[in-house]
């Protein structure tokens, strides 16, 4: 179901965002070049691991909410990242055992690991698609082998929009993805922001652009809300656009806004 053939070789000398993120989460699916980028990022953004953990927890709470409270049993996880337990299908299938998930990423290592590691529960189904978010039509076509687009689907764009340059017209990309979904579908998204510490996040973004050759783009709350939700006609559910650490979490001692520097929200297609 791939939009492009999976390359046989993974370039392990060039750092990749998926594997640097795996390094922040304490995973083992990263190479020296990724760890080097990770260490250099920690020098300029010492709490980048706090961001990674809080973002992952946001994903867990968002999928739990969608499955348990909204009854959503189909997920299209774009920019899914190196498998890290609990993965989307595990969270959803705990609530709704027949849940189906398609994992999409443009890192071939992510997709080859997902294929070998992510086994769906017996009643559900999981699919793996090697594709770039810039190919929304191909993503929908590939995912439709597993997902039924006549029933509600939740698209997950968790910590991937900051790798989408404005020049790529992210509004149009999102528009194409969301147009394929019926009413009652959802979008859950998170996005790094420089709103609370512009110097730190600016330095980390510069480092990523230079090391990976890929875009790295922080957005403020208003811009994120407009891009992902308002301009797409989605209704944002409570509590709105907030720091990922604050989204539907129990009261607890939270890290500072600057330490997290990432917004999250969930919206429903009317
Ligand atoms: C920071 S990780 C987030 C992983 C996971 N969604 C999470 O939040 O735990 C970003 C992921 O987006 C993927 N990615 C970056 N640019 C992409 C693009 N243009 N198309 C598809 N995936 C992309 C990376 O390979 C990486 O796996």
């Amino acid at each position: 179901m791939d939009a492009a053939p999976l390359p046989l070789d993974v370039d392990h000398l060039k750092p990749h965002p998926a594997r640097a993120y795996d390094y922040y989460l304490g995973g083992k699916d990263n190479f020296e070049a990724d760890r080097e980028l990770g260490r250099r990022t920690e020098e300029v953004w010492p709490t980048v691991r706090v961001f990674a953990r809080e973002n992952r927890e946001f994903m867990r709470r968002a999928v739990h909410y969608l499955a348990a409270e909204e009854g959503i049993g189909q997920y299209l996880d774009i920019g899914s990242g190196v498998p890290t337990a609990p993965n989307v299908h595990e969270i959803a299938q705990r609530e709704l055992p027949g849940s189906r998930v398609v994992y999409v990423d443009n890192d071939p290592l992510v997709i080859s690991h997902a294929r070998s590691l992510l086994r769906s529960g017996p009643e559900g189904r999981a699919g793996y698609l090697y594709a770039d978010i810039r190919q929304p039509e191909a993503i929908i076509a590939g995912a439709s082998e597993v997902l039924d687009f006549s029933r509600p689907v939740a698209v997950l764009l968790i910590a991937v929009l900051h790798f989408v340059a404005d020049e790529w017209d992210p509004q149009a990309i999102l528009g194409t993805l969301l147009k394929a979904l019926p009413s009652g579908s959802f979008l859950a998204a998170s996005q790094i922001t420089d709103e609370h510490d512009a110097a730190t996040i600016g330095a980390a973004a510069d480092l990523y652009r230079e090391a990976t050759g890929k875009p790295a783009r922080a957005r403020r709350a208003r811009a994120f809300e407009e891009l992902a939700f308002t301009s797409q006609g989605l209704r944002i559910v409570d509590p709105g656009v907030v720091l990922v650490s604050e989204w539907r979490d129990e009261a607890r001692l939270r890290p500072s806004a600057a330490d997290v520097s990432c917004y999250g929200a969930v919206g429903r297609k009317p």
Side-chain angles (χ1 to χ4, degrees):
M1 71 185 296
D2 286 334
L6 200 60
L8 295 175
D9 284 335
V10 168
D11 181 0
H12 63 275
L13 297 176
K14 197 169 178 64
H16 196 287
R19 305 169 216 156
Y21 182 72
D22 178 65
Y23 163 80
Y24 305 137
L25 289 173
K28 303 257 176 299
D29 296 312
N30 48 71
F31 300 111
E32 182 48 32
D34 310 307
R35 294 189 285 275
E36 169 69 13
L37 172 61
R39 288 190 291 267
R40 289 176 65 202
T41 305
E42 286 179 294
E43 280 167 23
V44 299
W45 184 9
T47 62
V48 62
R49 285 174 190 256
V50 173
F51 143 72
R53 279 196 302 271
E54 293 290 342
N55 176 66
R56 197 76 199 163
E57 277 298 295
F58 163 72
M59 181 282 282
R60 189 185 59 72
R61 292 194 302 275
V63 172
H64 179 266
Y65 161 78
L66 290 165
E69 296 190 35
E70 301 288 354
I72 298 291
Q74 304 197 92
Y75 296 83
L76 179 55
D77 184 5
I78 304 176
S80 53
V82 174
T84 306
N87 293 287
V88 172
H89 70 282
E90 291 155 343
I91 304 163
Q93 288 174 358
R94 221 171 277 153
E95 300 303 321
L96 299 172
S99 294
R100 297 171 167 216
V101 180
V102 173
Y103 294 99
V104 183
D105 208 284
N106 74 345
D107 181 356
L109 183 104
V110 165
I111 295 303
S112 68
H113 281 223
R115 278 194 186 133
S116 52
L117 291 175
L118 302 185
R119 290 276 162 260
S120 165
E123 294 170 55
R125 210 172 145 197
Y128 319 95
L129 190 57
Y130 174 56
D132 194 286
I133 194 168
R134 282 174 286 179
Q135 309 163 279
E137 287 99 349
I139 290 176
I140 296 294
S144 60
E145 288 179 26
V146 171
L147 305 178
D148 171 2
F149 283 97
S150 69
R151 293 192 299 117
V153 173
V155 170
L156 309 180
L157 296 176
I158 312 291
V160 65
L161 285 174
H162 38 257
F163 297 119
V164 178
D166 285 344
E167 302 84 86
W168 297 356
D169 196 353
Q171 206 164 310
I173 293 173
L174 273 162
T176 304
L177 290 170
L178 294 168
K179 203 170 69 187
L181 313 184
S183 155
S185 293
F186 285 85
L187 171 70
S190 66
Q191 154 80 54
I192 285 183
T193 185
D194 61 354
E195 200 153 345
H196 307 285
D197 187 345
T200 294
I201 301 302
D206 289 346
L207 191 55
Y208 261 66
R209 274 193 297 272
E210 179 243 313
T212 67
K214 296 174 191 293
R217 169 85 165 85
R219 291 186 179 89
R220 304 210 161 188
R222 193 65 77 71
F224 169 52
E225 179 170 345
E226 172 67 18
L227 163 65
F229 299 97
T230 325
S231 69
Q232 306 295 340
L234 301 183
R235 298 222 180 100
I236 301 179
V237 305
D238 283 345
V241 173
V242 293
L243 290 165
V244 285
S245 46
E246 291 174 3
W247 197 87
R248 289 181 181 246
D249 198 10
E250 322 249 296
R252 62 176 164 113
L253 201 55
R254 294 198 176 94
S256 74
D259 286 354
V260 176
S261 287
C262 185
Y263 286 120
V266 173
R268 182 178 190 277
K269 183 165 175 174

